[in-house]
């Protein structure tokens, strides 16, 4: 049975992937991870960054003595996995991403970061604000949002993976995106896939961005099929 690590998205936690993990447990040894500052973990003094979260994964790999595990990464988690494949090519095997955003520029990062205003969330989406508070307790969810917004701005200012970076990745990678995703476009996902030497592309039908609205049965089926021919 192969090891499969599941990585959550920005402002998320591993709890969001527990149903998916349960659906996959008969075929994989599943490991869940909370990135620094997420899911109740202490918020680091350093800025949030893809590099920081990649270091979380690398620490897990070394501590758990994993030997090139497979990875599923949702949203930011997928981007972190791709980053590791680029800069630490011998650490991971195959990678399956869903809803990973690749089109980071000043305009897109500004748009996404503005959606992470705690005051506006409490005013317009109080239930979601409460969910975020509970998700990251005892850490301050407002700081999590602030540091995530700053990370997005930095990605838009040139700290993201370039097309050249993607072209240097040799791992087998499946880039997938939902056809109803309002944050990540099919076009940017396809463009990223075309840069990969060993990439493949999947559009998930009737699938929006939030992981809670993604069909667990459909997603687990796609993941299992992708890794089944190893």
């Amino acid at each position: 049975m192969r090891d499969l690590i599941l990585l959550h998205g920005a402002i998320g936690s591993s709890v969001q992937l527990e149903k998916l993990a349960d659906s996959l447990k008969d075929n994989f040894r599943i490991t869940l991870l909370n990135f620094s500052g997420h899911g109740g973990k202490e918020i680091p003094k350093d800025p949030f960054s893809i590099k920081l979260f990649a270091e979380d994964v690398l620490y897990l790999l070394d501590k758990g003595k994993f030997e090139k595990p497979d990875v599923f990464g949702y949203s930011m988690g997928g981007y972190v996995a791709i980053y590791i494949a680029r800069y630490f090519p011998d650490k991971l095997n195959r990678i399956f991403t869903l809803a990973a955003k690749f089109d980071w520029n000043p305009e897109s990062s500004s748009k996404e970061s503005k959606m992470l205003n705690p005051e506006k969330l409490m005013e317009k989406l109080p239930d979601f604000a409460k969910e975020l508070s509970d998700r990251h307790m005892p850490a301050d969810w407002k700081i999590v949002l602030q540091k995530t917004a700053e990370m997005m701005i930095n990605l838009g200012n040139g700290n993201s993976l370039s097309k050249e970076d993607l072209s240097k990745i040799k791992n087998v990678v499946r880039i997938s995106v939902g056809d109803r995703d309002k944050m990540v476009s099919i076009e940017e996902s396809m463009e990223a896939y075309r840069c990969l030497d060993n990439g493949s592309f999947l559009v998930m039908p009737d699938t929006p961005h939030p992981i809670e609205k993604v069909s667990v049965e459909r997603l687990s089926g796609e993941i299992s099929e992708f890794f089944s021919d190893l």
Side-chain angles (χ1 to χ4, degrees):
M1 189 174 290
R2 297 189 60 83
D3 287 303
L4 178 63
I5 298 174
L6 308 184
L7 302 178
H8 65 79
I11 71 171
S13 77
S14 61
V15 171
Q16 296 172 287
L17 300 176
E18 286 182 349
K19 290 182 180 179
L20 178 62
D22 187 63
S23 181
L24 293 166
K25 67 182 181 181
D26 291 339
N27 297 318
F28 304 93
R29 287 189 297 269
I30 303 294
T31 300
L32 294 168
L33 167 72
N34 280 316
F35 291 121
S36 294
H38 294 72
K41 292 182 72 172
E42 182 180 357
I43 297 176
K45 294 181 180 179
D46 293 336
F48 280 2
S49 66
I50 300 302
K51 180 177 181 292
L52 173 68
F53 300 142
E55 289 171 352
D56 290 335
V57 179
L58 294 173
Y59 177 77
L60 172 70
L61 298 182
D62 291 339
K63 181 180 178 181
K65 298 181 179 179
F66 289 93
E67 184 175 350
K68 298 191 70 171
D70 298 315
V71 176
F72 166 77
Y74 163 69
S75 196
M76 182 189 72
Y79 200 88
V80 170
I82 296 294
Y83 177 94
I84 294 172
R86 165 64 179 90
Y87 292 104
F88 304 90
D90 296 327
K91 290 293 186 178
L92 303 178
N93 189 35
R94 292 193 179 190
I95 298 168
F96 189 118
T97 75
L98 172 65
K101 186 166 185 62
F102 293 95
D103 182 23
W104 290 107
N105 55 64
E107 182 179 355
S108 65
S109 62
S110 176
K111 176 184 176 182
E112 297 301 331
S113 65
K114 287 178 181 177
M115 297 174 65
L116 300 181
N117 184 304
E119 285 69 31
K120 289 185 178 179
L121 277 178
M122 287 188 292
E123 177 186 348
K124 296 182 178 181
L125 299 169
D127 290 343
F128 183 49
K130 176 64 166 57
E131 180 182 330
L132 289 173
S133 177
D134 293 342
R135 178 184 299 168
H136 300 297
M137 195 177 296
D140 188 338
W141 69 280
K142 295 180 181 179
I143 297 178
V144 174
L145 264 64
Q146 175 191 340
K147 292 174 80 75
T148 302
E150 293 169 352
M151 178 183 71
M152 289 179 172
I153 294 297
N154 288 332
L155 284 170
N157 288 334
N159 293 328
S160 55
L161 292 165
S162 66
K163 292 181 180 179
E164 182 180 359
D165 287 322
L166 295 175
S167 70
K168 293 180 179 179
I169 294 172
K170 302 305 178 185
N171 301 64
V172 175
V173 179
R174 166 70 51 83
I175 302 292
S176 71
V177 63
D179 62 348
R180 298 180 183 274
D181 195 319
K182 294 182 179 179
M183 178 180 176
V184 181
S185 69
I186 291 176
E187 290 74 19
E188 70 183 271
S189 302
M190 183 176 292
E191 187 172 1
Y193 137 71
R194 285 174 172 165
C195 294
L196 299 167
D197 280 354
N198 296 298
S200 59
F201 184 62
L202 171 69
V203 176
M204 295 276 288
D206 195 28
T207 301
H209 187 82
I211 190 66
E212 292 84 359
K213 296 183 179 181
V214 176
S215 167
V216 172
E217 181 179 7
R218 175 178 286 156
L219 179 57
S220 64
E222 293 290 353
I223 292 171
S224 296
E225 181 179 353
F226 176 68
F227 293 115
S228 66
D229 60 344
L230 293 174

